[in-house]
Amino acid sequence: MNAEDEKLIKLARSSRARNSAPEGAAVRDETGRTYTATTVALPSLSLTALQVAVAMAVASGAEDLEAAVVVTGGDLPDISAVRDLGPKAPVLVAGPDGTVHTTL
């Protein structure tokens, strides 16, 4: 894991903690820009943190992803949104303490 991936973990953890959300996510696009997000749970809209982060990247003009991180205390995340934009991007799955448990 490189320093840029460690930065993504810190960003995802911070977002999750700030919003007391079940998940925090961060993605890095092909230009090095980062996007952070948390779970959205509204009566009419339910999105995972990764879905929101990918949507933010797309809305900002990203064409590819270099890497993604999701911080969760739950099960393995759905990474289909990441694969849509960055088919080769590693997705690091970390626990609330920032320890990476798996790479998808």
Side-chain angles (χ1 to χ4, degrees):
M1 181 170 39
N2 62 41
E4 290 300 311
D5 292 342
E6 289 178 14
K7 176 183 169 184
L8 289 179
I9 292 170
K10 287 179 185 176
L11 290 169
R13 287 184 70 210
S14 295
S15 292
R16 180 179 182 267
R18 182 175 50 253
N19 293 334
S20 299
E23 293 181 344
V27 299
R28 184 175 60 248
D29 73 11
E30 77 280 3
T31 68
R33 292 178 297 184
T34 58
Y35 308 88
T36 61
T38 60
T39 309
V40 172
L42 299 171
S44 63
L45 179 64
S46 180
L47 299 169
T48 69
L50 275 175
Q51 289 171 332
V52 177
V54 170
M56 291 172 62
V58 170
S60 295
E63 296 179 3
D64 194 10
L65 294 178
E66 289 183 351
V69 167
V70 62
V71 174
T72 181
D75 297 329
L76 289 178
D78 175 3
I79 63 167
S80 55
V82 174
R83 291 292 170 250
D84 288 344
L85 187 59
K88 296 180 182 177
V91 180
L92 306 173
V93 182
D97 65 353
T99 302
V100 175
H101 298 291
T102 191
T103 301
L104 304 171

